[in-house]
Amino acid sequence: VRRQGKIIAGLLESYGFLPANHSIYDCTCGIGTQVFGLAEKGWNVYGTDISSQAITRAKAYSHEFDMMFTPTFAVADLLKPTDNPTEYDVVLSLDNAIPHFMTDDDLLTALGTMNAHLKDRGLLMISLRDYDALIENPPKSTYPSVNDTNDGRRIIFQTWDWSDDLTSYQLNMYITHHVGDTITTQCFPAEYRALRREQLSDALAQVGYHDIQWLMPEESGYYQPIVTARP
């Protein structure tokens, strides 16, 4: 939370956005990873996600952080734009949320919804996996992550089943929970589009964004490629 908050806050300041007089809308906030990191840096952040369970967890986590402004959260669907949307200085969608939009129409709708929430001189910031590199040697799995807690050991890993044309893949997240001699495993599937940078840039331009710029991890310090654009 704090590492990503520091990086994103630094990038926003490099674009001229400061927490004292600018607002942020994280439109795919999940459980609040970036929301809390930015709020600890003094930003006033509003977070939404399509998952009501994620929003419930984000609200529950709010008391764990020292923030000048307590973030507000709500459930929202980027494919269902609202009338008279509230406008913000910055709209974020980080951690590879955008590749969930599997069709061009859905992608354009989501980007349009984000655009409607941006002030005239605002900034859109999106991060996603480096699919340009990944499809050169498509991975089939991730390394397992092992976490020992008071509730036992949790082992988490993913398998990726790619389409024949490498334009999409099904991700299966496995969580194995060890408690004493009892072992249980859950699998959570999700479908992703292997969205290349050129494809996303073209979609942004179609919606009407301009000044589209890409920041790679070695430049930004963030763990995924980031694209920024102006409305």
Side-chain angles (χ1 to χ4, degrees), residues 4 7-8 11 26-28 33-34 91-101 107 111 114 124-131 192-193 195 197 200 204 213-217 220-229:
Q4 293 191 13
I7 293 171
I8 298 301
L11 290 173
D26 185 343
C27 61
T28 55
T33 303
Q34 290 80 31
V91 173
L92 300 179
S93 177
L94 304 177
D95 281 352
N96 202 56
I98 292 303
H100 280 298
F101 299 109
L107 177 61
L111 295 176
M114 295 179 204
L124 175 73
M125 180 178 289
I126 294 172
S127 83
L128 71 167
R129 292 186 175 112
D130 188 355
Y131 290 110
Y192 284 92
R193 183 177 181 178
L195 193 60
R197 289 191 288 279
L200 183 51
L204 289 165
Q213 300 180 18
W214 283 92
L215 300 171
M216 299 306 289
S220 69
Y222 197 69
Y223 78 106
Q224 290 180 340
I226 290 175
V227 62
T228 61

Side-chain angles (χ1 to χ4, degrees), residues 49-177:
D49 199 273
I50 193 173
S51 169
S52 59
Q53 291 177 317
I55 293 300
T56 297
R57 290 181 64 187
K59 290 178 179 178
Y61 288 145
S62 291
H63 70 278
E64 299 183 14
F65 300 92
D66 182 17
M67 301 171 289
M68 183 181 303
F69 302 104
T70 301
T72 52
F73 294 99
V75 176
D77 185 349
L78 289 174
L79 297 182
K80 297 178 180 178
T82 59
D83 295 329
N84 302 314
T86 303
E87 294 182 344
Y88 300 86
D89 298 290
V90 178
V91 173
L92 300 179
S93 177
L94 304 177
D95 281 352
N96 202 56
I98 292 303
H100 280 298
F101 299 109
M102 299 300 294
T103 67
D104 289 343
D105 285 346
D106 282 354
L107 177 61
L108 293 172
T109 298
L111 295 176
T113 301
M114 295 179 204
N115 194 23
H117 284 284
L118 273 170
K119 295 181 180 179
D120 287 343
R121 296 187 178 183
L123 181 74
L124 175 73
M125 180 178 289
I126 294 172
S127 83
L128 71 167
R129 292 186 175 112
D130 188 355
Y131 290 110
D132 290 70
L134 287 171
I135 62 176
E136 295 298 322
N137 186 23
K140 294 184 177 180
S141 64
T142 62
Y143 288 108
S145 171
V146 181
N147 301 284
D148 291 314
T149 71
N150 293 332
D151 296 325
R153 168 168 288 187
R154 288 162 59 90
I155 301 174
I156 303 173
F157 66 95
Q158 302 172 4
T159 61
W160 295 15
D161 298 319
W162 290 83
S163 63
D164 291 339
D165 59 3
L166 302 179
T167 60
S168 65
Y169 61 101
Q170 178 169 301
L171 182 153
N172 299 292
M173 177 178 287
Y174 292 89
I175 301 178
T176 298
H177 196 188

